[in-house]
Amino acid sequence: KDAFAAIRAMPFVSAVAFAASLGQNVVESALIAPVSAERATGFGPPGDLLTGSYLAPLFAAAPHNGPLAVRWPREVFLQGDAPGQHLPALIELAGRARILAYGPYLPLPEGRWLARAWLGFSPDVGKMPFILEADCGGLVSRGFFETARGGIFTLELEFQVADPMHPVELRLISQESTLEGQVALIEVALEEVR
């Protein structure tokens, strides 16, 4: 897969800044067209993003019996260090082990789901353990992973939704304290497993 596919999904300004922090050069033509200042700064409401990446696929799949696929962009997640605040493009890892990102508290239809999280790590991260967790009410699924170097990676986690009225919460958790490093939760793509 194209390593810059994840960056294309980010706002233009954030994508360039994130790539630069990884020491990578980004050609403007490799990115999506520039977006509004509101979306580029990350301070705007995530409603526009949810309409196209979450609600539209749900409504389109309703009359069909095929598998459903939705996306949860970074802007719908909340930051662990400032509960209730939208997730910034880059999360500082320095500090204790903790929940780095959580949310978005959106419902999904009943069944098995595959979450594919696009994560970016700065070059100074080194070897560090993390957890990606899906909380679907009474059911919690956990995926453990460890970074070995900086870069953009995908992590897959399969989970079960038993109650379609219970909102799903994903959590990105660091397992050890560290003195440096940054991580970016770029987006989470969700696919119904049939």
Side-chain angles (χ1 to χ4, degrees):
K1 295 185 179 184
D2 179 11
F4 286 102
I7 291 179
R8 285 189 201 103
M10 297 174 64
F12 181 74
V13 174
S14 299
V16 173
F18 181 68
S21 75
L22 294 176
Q24 297 179 358
N25 294 323
V26 177
V27 179
E28 283 187 19
S29 63
L31 300 172
I32 58 173
V35 296
S36 70
E38 180 181 68
R39 176 147 186 243
T41 59
F43 295 115
D48 293 347
L49 295 169
L50 282 178
T51 300
S53 64
Y54 172 70
L55 292 175
L58 285 175
F59 288 126
H64 306 289
N65 197 20
L68 177 62
V70 296
R71 290 184 320 112
W72 289 344
R74 169 189 54 87
E75 291 87 346
V76 302
F77 289 91
L78 304 169
Q79 55 179 312
D81 290 336
Q85 300 294 314
H86 289 287
L87 189 65
L90 295 173
I91 306 165
E92 290 294 333
L93 290 173
R96 60 182 168 45
R98 64 195 189 279
I99 295 174
L100 302 169
Y102 67 98
Y105 302 105
L106 294 171
L108 290 171
E110 182 178 349
R112 299 241 14 111
W113 287 85
L114 177 68
R116 183 174 295 113
W118 289 82
L119 303 167
F121 295 92
S122 61
D124 54 352
V125 162
K127 192 172 184 178
M128 188 169 170
F130 293 89
I131 297 172
L132 181 64
E133 201 170 68
D135 186 341
C136 304
L139 304 171
V140 177
S141 298
R142 288 187 179 97
F144 298 89
F145 67 102
E146 188 173 81
T147 60
R149 59 182 165 76
I152 298 173
F153 305 96
T154 59
L155 172 67
E156 293 184 350
L157 175 67
E158 195 167 308
F159 62 94
Q160 177 76 34
V161 174
D163 180 2
M165 298 309 289
H166 190 283
V168 175
E169 176 190 10
L170 295 180
R171 291 183 285 264
L172 176 62
I173 304 167
S174 63
Q175 289 190 275
E176 291 181 0
S177 59
T178 186
L179 297 174
E180 60 188 356
Q182 296 177 318
V183 63
L185 173 59
I186 300 167
E187 82 170 12
V188 177
L190 298 137
E191 298 175 26
E192 200 173 15
V193 177
R194 299 240 173 157

